[in-house]
Amino acid sequence: MSSLLRAFCGYHRISTKWKGLVPSSYQFIQNGLVSTYNQSDKTDYAYEMACSNIRYGKGVTQEVGLDCLNFKARNVCVMTDSKLAKMDPVRVALESLEQHKVPYQLYDKVRVEPSDQSFKNAVQFALDGNFDVFLAIGGGSVMDTCKAANLYSSNPSAEFLDYVNAPIGRGRPVTHTVKPLIAVSTTAGTGSETTGTAVFDFLALRSKTGISSRALRPTLGILDPLHLRTVPERVTAYTGIDVLCHAIESFTALPYYERQPRPDNPIARPAYQGSNPISDVWSRHALTITSKFLKRAVYNPDDEEARSQMLLASCFAGIGFGNAGCHLCHGMSYPISGLVKTFTSKDYDLDHPMVPHGLSVIITAPAVFTFTASACPERHLEAATCLGADVRNVKREDAGKFLADVLRKIMLDIEVPNGLKELGYTSTDIPELVKGTLPQHRVTKLSPRPASEEDFAAMFESSLTVY
């Protein structure tokens, strides 16, 4: 693969040669030059676009009762967490169900940053309830838990590891039919209302992993800006910063035509396929919006425009990474979350230590993008441009350091802790952090630059302090 193609940020196909039904080579124009890319029969040659239906608007949560009627629901499983169960988003949704006489049962025991055990508890509730429609009201933890409950209760014979991503689980494709799922998002960050991914802490591994399949994506995602009025400052900051990483990681991910192996059957093509022209559109747009509105949304809860725009940015980034995938920031974040000792954050009212997901992701971002930039410097510079930076005098070899500095400025603006040390980690924890990262093939294999065990250790070391 030529360095020219790695740097390529979009191509015009001139001609295609075919080997059976598989394109074997492409010609494309880059900076006025014609170059050829020869397709290996081991790499993929296609990408798929998948996304939930999305409804956006102030007050649209009040329509979920009618949505359930339209699905001919006889028994709805409503999932949320114990704090949200007492708040307006759940109240409005339940009132809508009751107004339209839709039977439901409420499960309010979702764990914030769910574990395999909390997934299993929710699955058991779903099995006992024999539901035909699922309704998730919450952030990523709630939506991911509801996806898992839907998946496993729709196929009671499945073992838990059957659908968990390889090599931790068996990574089997979902071939059975799941029930309709409506996801009402109450935060602006995860984009889980758009994706077929459900992430959890695997307690035995002390790291996060997940389940990824297009079959898991919600049938309908509800984006109601009214729900963001009472989201606390730190929750807004750490969910918002997750949008940033989703967009940059998906934009800089390994191109889909370099991903291996090529599936023998389309059903085996992963949800995370590598960067591609469709995902790129959403990722760029999410970065532009986040650059403009993140700080305003964090520090001005009454800034309706900023918080509404961040809700859209979260959805846009979700469409981007939901089809392209994330890479090293997310892969390294999973052991950061799983190995947490005592860290807690303001505005998170929990009974257990927790590194909020967005914080666990952004904390290594400067080190990650410094490392990956040599594989596709133009993409790293374009990401910086989308974030408002002037890159006209930046050399290609400085792309990673430049983007890292842009990110540090954003992190400082919203008061992100100064590295892993402030999350309770020291150099002695790095071997375990690396160990927890290595199995995260679902995301790490999408890095544009392959990372070794030593590379991960160096990035964690660099992330002990950020500023």
Side-chain angles (χ1 to χ4, degrees), residues 140-217:
S141 296
V142 172
M143 289 186 274
D144 288 4
T145 300
C146 199
K147 291 174 187 176
N150 188 8
L151 172 68
Y152 289 100
S153 65
S154 300
N155 183 18
S157 64
E159 296 180 2
F160 185 74
L161 288 178
D162 281 351
Y163 301 118
V164 175
N165 299 307
I168 296 170
R170 301 181 185 97
R172 292 177 177 167
V174 177
T175 56
H176 66 277
T177 301
V178 299
K179 306 293 173 40
L181 191 160
I182 302 170
V184 181
S185 181
T186 61
T187 61
T190 67
S192 189
E193 72 279 356
T194 73
T195 74
T197 299
V199 177
F200 63 92
D201 281 322
F202 193 29
L203 298 177
L205 188 64
R206 297 188 70 194
S207 181
K208 284 183 181 287
T209 185
I211 305 164
S212 293
S213 170
R214 294 179 186 85
L216 265 67
R217 69 184 187 277

Side-chain angles (χ1 to χ4, degrees), residues 11-25:
Y11 63 80
H12 302 283
R13 185 181 300 177
I14 301 173
S15 65
T16 304
K17 299 178 183 178
W18 293 89
K19 180 180 179 181
L21 293 177
V22 179
S24 58
S25 68

Side-chain angles (χ1 to χ4, degrees), residues 43 49 244 349 384:
T43 58
M49 178 65 190
L244 189 69
D349 184 17

Side-chain angles (χ1 to χ4, degrees), residues 244-245 248-249 252 327 329 364-374 380 399-401 403-404 407 459:
L244 189 69
C245 284
I248 302 178
E249 287 177 73
T252 59
H327 56 82
C329 295
T364 63
V368 164
F369 295 117
T370 299
F371 172 80
T372 57
S374 61
H380 287 67
K401 292 179 181 179
L403 178 57
L407 292 174
M459 285 184 277

